[in-house]
Amino acid sequence: MDQSKEQRILNSVSYNAVKGDPESVINCIDKYCSQYEWAMNVGDEKGTILDKVVEEADPSVALELGTYCGYSAIRIARLLKPNTRLLTIEFNPEFASIAKEIIEIAGLSEKVTILEGHSEDIIPQLKKKYEVETLDFVFLDHWKERYAPDTILLEECGLLRKGSILLADNIIYPGAPEFIKYIRSNKRFECTSYPSHLEYMKVEDAMEKAVKDPGAAAMLF
Ligand SMILES: O=C(NCCO)c1cc(-c2ccc(F)cc2)cc(O)c1O
Ligand SMILES: [Mg+2]
């Protein structure tokens, strides 16, 4: 049977990347997806915005919704300090399996836990089953119509604290209008838009950062 695009991305990483070097895995995927086959990785332009927000968050526990091939998990995990971790949720079993191998090649398997299933099923398990108290950083990059309900679910499960930082991909393309409506009208969140472009394309896109109760966090220090 023909290989999938995601399997071909893994082949390219496995053949071209330097084992244990996250930067070389990132560069290999960006090269492959800009030169051969477009794929829905966050990419290097939006990836630089992701990097900056992760550094600002300096998370002990980070959550990603939408692993895909593991590209953004590697971007996030390579910036995490010792004894900190990234949990990433992926519903597609093939994507989860490919991501596991690519994250292994990057040498980041110790820092990244891939949770296979639907976000609405896994989020309520994070506290008890995955020993999460609260999440310092959440990257939303899964089904765009799940951004708003899953943000509400994170709140309902008590997983967000004062100062928790959310970052959402694809605010313009494919777009997440319900999420934008919800988060920008919610007084508990301070929102910032980061204009950019769709990965590997000249099409406009943007990322949205939302900080929970920022003032309260600031007053604590
Ligand atoms: O659906 C997406 N992610 C969740 C997957 O489970 C997604 C899609 C696209 C995209 C697709 C088709 C097109 F024509 C343009 C963009 C881009 C992205 O960055 C994405 O994250
Ligand atoms: Mg995306």
Side-chain angles (χ1 to χ4, degrees):
M1 191 173 82
D2 282 353
Q3 284 192 317
S4 68
K5 170 169 70 176
E6 291 73 25
Q7 184 61 54
R8 291 193 289 272
I9 291 170
L10 170 56
N11 296 343
S12 176
V13 168
S14 177
Y15 187 76
N16 296 303
V18 174
K19 302 291 180 285
D21 178 353
E23 297 297 334
S24 99
V25 172
I26 290 165
N27 294 334
C28 172
I29 294 173
D30 283 332
K31 193 166 186 289
Y32 185 85
C33 295
S34 40
Q35 289 180 1
Y36 301 105
E37 296 187 85
W38 184 91
M40 58 183 169
N41 318 113
V42 75
D44 201 45
E45 185 182 329
K46 290 189 289 180
T48 303
I49 298 166
L50 172 61
D51 292 353
K52 287 198 182 94
V53 177
V54 170
E55 284 167 346
E56 173 193 345
D58 187 20
S60 296
V61 185
L63 173 69
E64 174 182 61
L65 303 176
T67 315
Y68 189 44
C69 292
Y71 176 92
S72 43
I74 290 166
R75 288 200 80 110
I76 295 165
R78 84 191 203 287
L79 299 174
L80 294 182
K81 296 205 169 112
N83 304 311
T84 65
R85 59 183 171 140
L86 170 66
L87 301 170
T88 179
I89 300 175
E90 178 54 57
F91 81 94
N92 180 309
E94 196 217 351
F95 294 170
S97 159
I98 299 269
K100 189 169 184 296
E101 293 192 61
I102 291 180
I103 290 163
E104 171 64 27
I105 293 169
L108 290 167
S109 299
E110 296 306 302
K111 296 193 84 66
V112 182
T113 306
I114 301 174
L115 306 176
E116 198 176 316
H118 286 280
S119 50
E120 61 268 34
D121 300 328
I122 295 176
I123 287 171
Q125 299 176 315
L126 290 178
K127 280 200 181 244
K128 289 198 176 123
K129 189 169 177 185
Y130 299 100
E131 299 178 281
V132 174
E133 258 182 65
T134 53
L135 297 163
D136 307 304
F137 175 76
V138 182
F139 180 47
L140 296 94
D141 195 22
H142 58 331
W143 280 340
K144 309 314 160 191
E145 66 278 6
R146 287 297 318 170
Y147 283 16
D150 282 345
T151 299
I152 293 163
L153 186 57
L154 287 167
E155 288 254 60
E156 286 168 351
C157 295
L159 285 160
L160 300 181
R161 58 157 172 86
K162 292 176 177 42
S164 287
I165 296 178
L166 310 182
L167 182 67
D169 190 24
N170 307 118
I171 295 309
I172 294 177
Y173 201 98
E178 304 81 15
F179 172 74
I180 288 299
K181 185 164 175 281
Y182 170 74
I183 204 79
R184 288 184 183 171
S185 62
N186 186 323
K187 297 202 179 338
R188 305 280 313 256
F189 288 93
E190 183 178 276
C191 298
T192 311
S193 176
Y194 296 89
S196 185
H197 295 89
L198 181 66
E199 49 267 28
Y200 317 116
M201 304 290 285
K202 290 187 169 46
V203 173
E204 279 200 15
D205 193 10
M207 301 181 99
E208 185 89 357
K209 181 176 80 171
V211 185
K212 180 159 181 210
D213 296 335
M219 279 180 332
L220 291 176
F221 301 102

